Amino acid sequence: MNITVLYGTESGNAETVADDIIEEFDGQFEVTGLDMGDAAAVDLDPASIYLVVCSTHGEGGLPASAVPFAEMLDEEKPDLSGIRYAMFGLGDSSYEIYSRGSERIDERLAALGAVRVGEYGRHDAGDGSLPNEPALAWSRETLPVLAQLSEVAS
Ligand SMILES: Cc1cc2nc3c(=O)[nH]c(=O)nc-3n(C[C@H](O)[C@H](O)[C@H](O)COP(=O)(O)O)c2cc1C
């Protein structure tokens, strides 16, 4: 089973989360990381399952690396039916608009036919904590759900 950890980041936290998730599952699965800033429509493939990690910047906006990805989805409107993904949002509730960045990606993926599976994970940096441990706990819970669906579908 192929797993892609697709991350959108501005200051690097989502990338370190992706690295930790890759390390966690490496050896068990074929697992690769993909920065949203480098992702093309052809990289969204129903043969892979997606763990999506995305932060929020600006005023509830997308982080820098997710901006071209969102633009690509809006312009090319790829058919994402058959794609299953789980979502983990990074944010900070001391900002007025909390954790909307990941939701902006979630809404686009769903509108193009992809299906979100499992709990919508979140990390709130408002208490000064880092997202890595909660994101790892989320991935351990979520991956078996995605993997089971993947086996049923194949
Ligand atoms: C300049 C700046 C603006 C931010 N704006 C928001 C925001 O509007 N809403 C929110 O929930 N979090 C906001 N955050 C918090 C980030 O989403 C959080 O720190 C996250 O862990 C950053 O992940 P990244 O390093 O992968 O971009 C902001 C952080 C910074 C530094």
Side-chain angles (χ1 to χ4, degrees):
M1 189 175 68
N2 282 322
I3 299 165
T4 304
V5 186
L6 179 65
Y7 60 91
T9 186
E10 181 145 336
S11 46
N13 286 352
E15 184 171 8
T16 70
V17 165
D19 288 344
D20 285 356
I21 293 174
I22 291 164
E23 197 181 316
E24 172 80 9
F25 294 108
D26 195 26
Q28 266 178 281
F29 302 107
E30 289 283 314
V31 52
T32 51
L34 178 62
D35 187 336
M36 287 183 191
D38 299 324
V42 291
D43 295 317
L44 301 173
D45 178 358
S48 186
I49 61 178
Y50 292 83
L51 296 178
V52 185
V53 181
C54 185
S55 68
T56 302
H57 274 262
E59 292 173 10
L62 291 167
S65 89
V67 172
F69 182 68
E71 286 171 356
M72 180 276 288
L73 295 177
D74 291 345
E75 283 162 22
E76 297 183 30
K77 295 190 176 18
D79 177 6
L80 301 185
S81 48
I83 290 187
R84 289 167 301 272
Y85 69 99
M87 183 62 76
F88 192 91
L90 273 55
D92 180 336
S93 61
S94 64
Y95 288 89
E96 198 173 339
I97 306 171
Y98 172 56
S99 200
R100 270 291 286 149
S102 65
E103 292 171 5
R104 294 178 192 278
I105 295 298
D106 181 60
E107 287 161 6
R108 285 174 166 87
L109 295 177
L112 294 167
V115 173
R116 177 160 52 79
V117 174
E119 286 290 309
Y120 198 120
R122 305 236 185 218
H123 174 258
D124 181 358
D127 62 2
S129 65
L130 288 171
N132 303 65
E133 275 307 319
L136 269 180
W138 164 85
S139 70
R140 289 185 199 113
E141 294 267 310
T142 306
L143 198 63
V145 182
L146 273 164
Q148 201 177 14
L149 283 175
S150 180
E151 278 165 25
V152 170
S154 62

mmCIF file of all heavy atoms in Angstrom, residues 94-132:
data_model
loop_
_atom_site.group_PDB
_atom_site.id
_atom_site.type_symbol
_atom_site.label_atom_id
_atom_site.label_comp_id
_atom_site.label_asym_id
_atom_site.label_seq_id
_atom_site.Cartn_x
_atom_site.Cartn_y
_atom_site.Cartn_z
ATOM 1 N N SER A 94 -5.258 31.479 19.282
ATOM 2 C CA SER A 94 -5.148 32.870 19.703
ATOM 3 C C SER A 94 -5.368 33.810 18.509
ATOM 4 O O SER A 94 -5.520 35.020 18.700
ATOM 5 C CB SER A 94 -3.804 33.138 20.388
ATOM 6 O OG SER A 94 -2.747 32.945 19.491
ATOM 7 N N TYR A 95 -5.367 33.261 17.294
ATOM 8 C CA TYR A 95 -5.729 34.064 16.118
ATOM 9 C C TYR A 95 -7.241 34.096 15.976
ATOM 10 O O TYR A 95 -7.946 33.163 16.392
ATOM 11 C CB TYR A 95 -5.101 33.476 14.846
ATOM 12 C CG TYR A 95 -3.607 33.685 14.780
ATOM 13 C CD1 TYR A 95 -2.740 32.746 15.344
ATOM 14 C CD2 TYR A 95 -3.063 34.805 14.174
ATOM 15 C CE1 TYR A 95 -1.359 32.926 15.298
ATOM 16 C CE2 TYR A 95 -1.690 35.000 14.126
ATOM 17 C CZ TYR A 95 -0.839 34.059 14.688
ATOM 18 O OH TYR A 95 0.516 34.254 14.643
ATOM 19 N N GLU A 96 -7.713 35.144 15.326
ATOM 20 C CA GLU A 96 -9.159 35.354 15.236
ATOM 21 C C GLU A 96 -9.859 34.231 14.476
ATOM 22 O O GLU A 96 -10.933 33.765 14.860
ATOM 23 C CB GLU A 96 -9.421 36.706 14.551
ATOM 24 C CG GLU A 96 -10.818 37.212 14.799
ATOM 25 C CD GLU A 96 -11.010 38.617 14.262
ATOM 26 O OE1 GLU A 96 -9.999 39.341 14.066
ATOM 27 O OE2 GLU A 96 -12.161 38.985 14.029
ATOM 28 N N ILE A 97 -9.235 33.798 13.371
ATOM 29 C CA ILE A 97 -9.839 32.716 12.576
ATOM 30 C C ILE A 97 -8.971 31.474 12.748
ATOM 31 O O ILE A 97 -7.827 31.434 12.283
ATOM 32 C CB ILE A 97 -9.934 33.098 11.085
ATOM 33 C CG1 ILE A 97 -10.672 34.437 10.939
ATOM 34 C CG2 ILE A 97 -10.646 31.996 10.300
ATOM 35 C CD1 ILE A 97 -10.634 35.005 9.540
ATOM 36 N N TYR A 98 -9.522 30.500 13.435
ATOM 37 C CA TYR A 98 -8.719 29.346 13.862
ATOM 38 C C TYR A 98 -8.764 28.218 12.835
ATOM 39 O O TYR A 98 -9.855 27.777 12.422
ATOM 40 C CB TYR A 98 -9.244 28.850 15.225
ATOM 41 C CG TYR A 98 -8.623 27.548 15.686
ATOM 42 C CD1 TYR A 98 -7.232 27.424 15.800
ATOM 43 C CD2 TYR A 98 -9.410 26.451 16.004
ATOM 44 C CE1 TYR A 98 -6.653 26.240 16.217
ATOM 45 C CE2 TYR A 98 -8.850 25.264 16.428
ATOM 46 C CZ TYR A 98 -7.461 25.162 16.525
ATOM 47 O OH TYR A 98 -6.907 23.985 16.935
ATOM 48 N N SER A 99 -7.607 27.765 12.410
ATOM 49 C CA SER A 99 -7.423 26.485 11.709
ATOM 50 C C SER A 99 -8.215 26.380 10.397
ATOM 51 O O SER A 99 -8.582 25.285 10.001
ATOM 52 C CB SER A 99 -7.812 25.333 12.656
ATOM 53 O OG SER A 99 -7.247 24.113 12.250
ATOM 54 N N ARG A 100 -8.405 27.513 9.720
ATOM 55 C CA ARG A 100 -9.174 27.461 8.464
ATOM 56 C C ARG A 100 -8.326 26.987 7.280
ATOM 57 O O ARG A 100 -8.865 26.574 6.258
ATOM 58 C CB ARG A 100 -9.748 28.848 8.133
ATOM 59 C CG ARG A 100 -11.105 29.134 8.688
ATOM 60 C CD ARG A 100 -12.228 28.317 8.053
ATOM 61 N NE ARG A 100 -12.600 28.748 6.713
ATOM 62 C CZ ARG A 100 -13.066 27.948 5.765
ATOM 63 N NH1 ARG A 100 -13.180 26.654 5.976
ATOM 64 N NH2 ARG A 100 -13.400 28.423 4.590
ATOM 65 N N GLY A 101 -6.993 27.084 7.400
ATOM 66 C CA GLY A 101 -6.141 26.732 6.256
ATOM 67 C C GLY A 101 -6.388 25.312 5.774
ATOM 68 O O GLY A 101 -6.647 25.077 4.589
ATOM 69 N N SER A 102 -6.345 24.361 6.711
ATOM 70 C CA SER A 102 -6.564 22.957 6.308
ATOM 71 C C SER A 102 -7.978 22.775 5.776
ATOM 72 O O SER A 102 -8.201 21.994 4.841
ATOM 73 C CB SER A 102 -6.317 22.006 7.484
ATOM 74 O OG SER A 102 -7.274 22.213 8.508
ATOM 75 N N GLU A 103 -8.924 23.518 6.351
ATOM 76 C CA GLU A 103 -10.320 23.375 5.888
ATOM 77 C C GLU A 103 -10.459 23.853 4.444
ATOM 78 O O GLU A 103 -11.257 23.304 3.680
ATOM 79 C CB GLU A 103 -11.265 24.168 6.803
ATOM 80 C CG GLU A 103 -11.359 23.580 8.205
ATOM 81 C CD GLU A 103 -12.120 24.489 9.172
ATOM 82 O OE1 GLU A 103 -12.649 25.521 8.729
ATOM 83 O OE2 GLU A 103 -12.145 24.171 10.372
ATOM 84 N N ARG A 104 -9.686 24.869 4.083
ATOM 85 C CA ARG A 104 -9.743 25.354 2.694
ATOM 86 C C ARG A 104 -9.276 24.276 1.722
ATOM 87 O O ARG A 104 -9.792 24.160 0.607
ATOM 88 C CB ARG A 104 -8.892 26.621 2.535
ATOM 89 C CG ARG A 104 -9.427 27.811 3.302
ATOM 90 C CD ARG A 104 -8.511 29.018 3.142
ATOM 91 N NE ARG A 104 -8.870 30.060 4.078
ATOM 92 C CZ ARG A 104 -9.849 30.949 3.894
ATOM 93 N NH1 ARG A 104 -10.558 30.912 2.789
ATOM 94 N NH2 ARG A 104 -10.106 31.861 4.799
ATOM 95 N N ILE A 105 -8.274 23.499 2.131
ATOM 96 C CA ILE A 105 -7.825 22.373 1.282
ATOM 97 C C ILE A 105 -8.854 21.244 1.329
ATOM 98 O O ILE A 105 -9.216 20.661 0.296
ATOM 99 C CB ILE A 105 -6.432 21.879 1.745
ATOM 100 C CG1 ILE A 105 -5.371 22.963 1.528
ATOM 101 C CG2 ILE A 105 -6.049 20.575 1.025
ATOM 102 C CD1 ILE A 105 -5.160 23.387 0.077
ATOM 103 N N ASP A 106 -9.344 20.954 2.528
ATOM 104 C CA ASP A 106 -10.350 19.885 2.684
ATOM 105 C C ASP A 106 -11.564 20.142 1.788
ATOM 106 O O ASP A 106 -12.037 19.232 1.094
ATOM 107 C CB ASP A 106 -10.769 19.832 4.162
ATOM 108 C CG ASP A 106 -11.790 18.760 4.434
ATOM 109 O OD1 ASP A 106 -11.491 17.579 4.189
ATOM 110 O OD2 ASP A 106 -12.905 19.103 4.884
ATOM 111 N N GLU A 107 -12.045 21.378 1.793
ATOM 112 C CA GLU A 107 -13.232 21.711 0.986
ATOM 113 C C GLU A 107 -12.966 21.506 -0.500
ATOM 114 O O GLU A 107 -13.822 20.996 -1.231
ATOM 115 C CB GLU A 107 -13.636 23.171 1.251
ATOM 116 C CG GLU A 107 -14.281 23.360 2.619
ATOM 117 C CD GLU A 107 -14.282 24.795 3.101
ATOM 118 O OE1 GLU A 107 -13.882 25.699 2.347
ATOM 119 O OE2 GLU A 107 -14.677 25.014 4.264
ATOM 120 N N ARG A 108 -11.782 21.880 -0.932
ATOM 121 C CA ARG A 108 -11.455 21.717 -2.362
ATOM 122 C C ARG A 108 -11.354 20.243 -2.737
ATOM 123 O O ARG A 108 -11.867 19.828 -3.788
ATOM 124 C CB ARG A 108 -10.142 22.434 -2.686
ATOM 125 C CG ARG A 108 -10.298 23.936 -2.759
ATOM 126 C CD ARG A 108 -8.943 24.606 -2.944
ATOM 127 N NE ARG A 108 -9.073 26.002 -3.333
ATOM 128 C CZ ARG A 108 -9.206 27.022 -2.486
ATOM 129 N NH1 ARG A 108 -9.247 26.806 -1.180
ATOM 130 N NH2 ARG A 108 -9.303 28.265 -2.939
ATOM 131 N N LEU A 109 -10.667 19.451 -1.909
ATOM 132 C CA LEU A 109 -10.523 18.015 -2.227
ATOM 133 C C LEU A 109 -11.897 17.350 -2.307
ATOM 134 O O LEU A 109 -12.183 16.587 -3.239
ATOM 135 C CB LEU A 109 -9.651 17.315 -1.168
ATOM 136 C CG LEU A 109 -8.194 17.763 -1.081
ATOM 137 C CD1 LEU A 109 -7.489 17.030 0.071
ATOM 138 C CD2 LEU A 109 -7.441 17.521 -2.385
ATOM 139 N N ALA A 110 -12.751 17.664 -1.329
ATOM 140 C CA ALA A 110 -14.082 17.046 -1.298
ATOM 141 C C ALA A 110 -14.923 17.481 -2.497
ATOM 142 O O ALA A 110 -15.632 16.665 -3.102
ATOM 143 C CB ALA A 110 -14.793 17.405 0.013
ATOM 144 N N ALA A 111 -14.825 18.756 -2.875
ATOM 145 C CA ALA A 111 -15.617 19.256 -4.011
ATOM 146 C C ALA A 111 -15.223 18.568 -5.316
ATOM 147 O O ALA A 111 -16.032 18.470 -6.240
ATOM 148 C CB ALA A 111 -15.436 20.769 -4.142
ATOM 149 N N LEU A 112 -13.973 18.086 -5.382
ATOM 150 C CA LEU A 112 -13.499 17.428 -6.612
ATOM 151 C C LEU A 112 -13.692 15.913 -6.556
ATOM 152 O O LEU A 112 -13.236 15.192 -7.443
ATOM 153 C CB LEU A 112 -12.025 17.783 -6.847
ATOM 154 C CG LEU A 112 -11.789 19.278 -7.159
ATOM 155 C CD1 LEU A 112 -10.309 19.633 -7.056
ATOM 156 C CD2 LEU A 112 -12.322 19.619 -8.548
ATOM 157 N N GLY A 113 -14.337 15.424 -5.500
ATOM 158 C CA GLY A 113 -14.727 14.016 -5.468
ATOM 159 C C GLY A 113 -13.948 13.132 -4.518
ATOM 160 O O GLY A 113 -14.282 11.958 -4.345
ATOM 161 N N ALA A 114 -12.892 13.652 -3.898
ATOM 162 C CA ALA A 114 -12.143 12.841 -2.931
ATOM 163 C C ALA A 114 -12.976 12.684 -1.649
ATOM 164 O O ALA A 114 -13.847 13.511 -1.361
ATOM 165 C CB ALA A 114 -10.802 13.509 -2.620
ATOM 166 N N VAL A 115 -12.701 11.619 -0.912
ATOM 167 C CA VAL A 115 -13.494 11.328 0.286
ATOM 168 C C VAL A 115 -12.584 11.323 1.516
ATOM 169 O O VAL A 115 -11.577 10.604 1.554
ATOM 170 C CB VAL A 115 -14.204 9.960 0.150
ATOM 171 C CG1 VAL A 115 -14.885 9.568 1.451
ATOM 172 C CG2 VAL A 115 -15.215 10.016 -0.991
ATOM 173 N N ARG A 116 -12.965 12.161 2.491
ATOM 174 C CA ARG A 116 -12.201 12.191 3.747
ATOM 175 C C ARG A 116 -12.658 11.078 4.663
ATOM 176 O O ARG A 116 -13.849 10.816 4.805
ATOM 177 C CB ARG A 116 -12.347 13.548 4.435
ATOM 178 C CG ARG A 116 -11.629 13.615 5.768
ATOM 179 C CD ARG A 116 -11.338 15.039 6.223
ATOM 180 N NE ARG A 116 -12.498 15.882 6.200
ATOM 181 C CZ ARG A 116 -13.448 15.888 7.138
ATOM 182 N NH1 ARG A 116 -13.372 15.075 8.170
ATOM 183 N NH2 ARG A 116 -14.462 16.704 7.036
ATOM 184 N N VAL A 117 -11.672 10.446 5.310
ATOM 185 C CA VAL A 117 -11.926 9.289 6.172
ATOM 186 C C VAL A 117 -11.338 9.573 7.557
ATOM 187 O O VAL A 117 -10.316 10.257 7.670
ATOM 188 C CB VAL A 117 -11.249 8.030 5.562
ATOM 189 C CG1 VAL A 117 -11.360 6.852 6.491
ATOM 190 C CG2 VAL A 117 -11.847 7.716 4.199
ATOM 191 N N GLY A 118 -11.985 9.061 8.588
ATOM 192 C CA GLY A 118 -11.431 9.143 9.941
ATOM 193 C C GLY A 118 -11.658 10.494 10.587
ATOM 194 O O GLY A 118 -12.327 11.372 10.046
ATOM 195 N N GLU A 119 -11.085 10.630 11.779
ATOM 196 C CA GLU A 119 -11.230 11.864 12.548
ATOM 197 C C GLU A 119 -10.471 13.005 11.886
ATOM 198 O O GLU A 119 -9.360 12.805 11.393
ATOM 199 C CB GLU A 119 -10.641 11.671 13.946
ATOM 200 C CG GLU A 119 -11.480 10.824 14.864
ATOM 201 C CD GLU A 119 -12.762 11.533 15.277
ATOM 202 O OE1 GLU A 119 -12.668 12.684 15.738
ATOM 203 O OE2 GLU A 119 -13.830 10.934 15.116
ATOM 204 N N TYR A 120 -11.065 14.195 11.895
ATOM 205 C CA TYR A 120 -10.361 15.401 11.446
ATOM 206 C C TYR A 120 -9.441 15.815 12.592
ATOM 207 O O TYR A 120 -9.899 16.295 13.623
ATOM 208 C CB TYR A 120 -11.382 16.501 11.142
ATOM 209 C CG TYR A 120 -10.867 17.636 10.283
ATOM 210 C CD1 TYR A 120 -11.461 17.905 9.056
ATOM 211 C CD2 TYR A 120 -9.806 18.439 10.694
ATOM 212 C CE1 TYR A 120 -11.014 18.942 8.258
ATOM 213 C CE2 TYR A 120 -9.347 19.471 9.897
ATOM 214 C CZ TYR A 120 -9.957 19.724 8.679
ATOM 215 O OH TYR A 120 -9.499 20.749 7.884
ATOM 216 N N GLY A 121 -8.132 15.597 12.407
ATOM 217 C CA GLY A 121 -7.192 15.911 13.481
ATOM 218 C C GLY A 121 -6.862 17.393 13.517
ATOM 219 O O GLY A 121 -6.923 18.074 12.490
ATOM 220 N N ARG A 122 -6.548 17.896 14.707
ATOM 221 C CA ARG A 122 -6.176 19.314 14.826
ATOM 222 C C ARG A 122 -5.079 19.458 15.872
ATOM 223 O O ARG A 122 -5.031 18.696 16.845
ATOM 224 C CB ARG A 122 -7.350 20.164 15.318
ATOM 225 C CG ARG A 122 -8.589 20.034 14.495
ATOM 226 C CD ARG A 122 -9.060 21.352 13.994
ATOM 227 N NE ARG A 122 -10.332 21.178 13.308
ATOM 228 C CZ ARG A 122 -10.671 21.826 12.217
ATOM 229 N NH1 ARG A 122 -9.830 22.679 11.671
ATOM 230 N NH2 ARG A 122 -11.831 21.639 11.649
ATOM 231 N N HIS A 123 -4.240 20.493 15.670
ATOM 232 C CA HIS A 123 -3.334 20.904 16.739
ATOM 233 C C HIS A 123 -3.460 22.405 16.920
ATOM 234 O O HIS A 123 -3.449 23.166 15.948
ATOM 235 C CB HIS A 123 -1.879 20.558 16.413
ATOM 236 C CG HIS A 123 -0.945 21.115 17.438
ATOM 237 N ND1 HIS A 123 -0.200 22.258 17.224
ATOM 238 C CD2 HIS A 123 -0.698 20.726 18.716
ATOM 239 C CE1 HIS A 123 0.487 22.533 18.318
ATOM 240 N NE2 HIS A 123 0.209 21.617 19.232
ATOM 241 N N ASP A 124 -3.573 22.797 18.182
ATOM 242 C CA ASP A 124 -3.678 24.206 18.549
ATOM 243 C C ASP A 124 -2.360 24.631 19.208
ATOM 244 O O ASP A 124 -2.037 24.165 20.310
ATOM 245 C CB ASP A 124 -4.860 24.374 19.517
ATOM 246 C CG ASP A 124 -5.062 25.821 19.927
ATOM 247 O OD1 ASP A 124 -4.271 26.690 19.501
ATOM 248 O OD2 ASP A 124 -6.021 26.070 20.691
ATOM 249 N N ALA A 125 -1.613 25.501 18.521
ATOM 250 C CA ALA A 125 -0.320 25.963 19.046
ATOM 251 C C ALA A 125 -0.491 27.084 20.071
ATOM 252 O O ALA A 125 0.502 27.646 20.539
ATOM 253 C CB ALA A 125 0.565 26.430 17.888
ATOM 254 N N GLY A 126 -1.736 27.396 20.427
ATOM 255 C CA GLY A 126 -2.004 28.496 21.356
ATOM 256 C C GLY A 126 -1.371 28.314 22.722
ATOM 257 O O GLY A 126 -1.081 29.295 23.411
ATOM 258 N N ASP A 127 -1.118 27.057 23.110
ATOM 259 C CA ASP A 127 -0.494 26.813 24.416
ATOM 260 C C ASP A 127 1.023 26.651 24.301
ATOM 261 O O ASP A 127 1.677 26.250 25.260
ATOM 262 C CB ASP A 127 -1.121 25.571 25.081
ATOM 263 C CG ASP A 127 -0.907 24.308 24.254
ATOM 264 O OD1 ASP A 127 -0.242 24.380 23.185
ATOM 265 O OD2 ASP A 127 -1.402 23.238 24.669
ATOM 266 N N GLY A 128 1.561 26.939 23.113
ATOM 267 C CA GLY A 128 3.010 26.855 22.933
ATOM 268 C C GLY A 128 3.516 25.456 22.614
ATOM 269 O O GLY A 128 4.721 25.263 22.449
ATOM 270 N N SER A 129 2.612 24.494 22.504
ATOM 271 C CA SER A 129 3.057 23.118 22.232
ATOM 272 C C SER A 129 3.346 22.926 20.751
ATOM 273 O O SER A 129 2.911 23.701 19.903
ATOM 274 C CB SER A 129 1.987 22.122 22.691
ATOM 275 O OG SER A 129 0.816 22.279 21.910
ATOM 276 N N LEU A 130 4.080 21.858 20.453
ATOM 277 C CA LEU A 130 4.385 21.495 19.071
ATOM 278 C C LEU A 130 3.360 20.472 18.569
ATOM 279 O O LEU A 130 2.795 19.706 19.363
ATOM 280 C CB LEU A 130 5.795 20.905 18.983
ATOM 281 C CG LEU A 130 6.931 21.918 19.155
ATOM 282 C CD1 LEU A 130 8.269 21.193 19.265
ATOM 283 C CD2 LEU A 130 6.941 22.925 18.008
ATOM 284 N N PRO A 131 3.131 20.419 17.259
ATOM 285 C CA PRO A 131 2.088 19.537 16.729
ATOM 286 C C PRO A 131 2.527 18.085 16.551
ATOM 287 O O PRO A 131 1.684 17.217 16.294
ATOM 288 C CB PRO A 131 1.790 20.149 15.353
ATOM 289 C CG PRO A 131 3.066 20.820 14.954
ATOM 290 C CD PRO A 131 3.696 21.306 16.228
ATOM 291 N N ASN A 132 3.820 17.776 16.708
ATOM 292 C CA ASN A 132 4.306 16.462 16.255
ATOM 293 C C ASN A 132 3.689 15.285 16.990
ATOM 294 O O ASN A 132 3.264 14.311 16.357
ATOM 295 C CB ASN A 132 5.832 16.423 16.353
ATOM 296 C CG ASN A 132 6.466 17.548 15.545
ATOM 297 O OD1 ASN A 132 6.273 18.720 15.891
ATOM 298 N ND2 ASN A 132 7.173 17.228 14.492
#
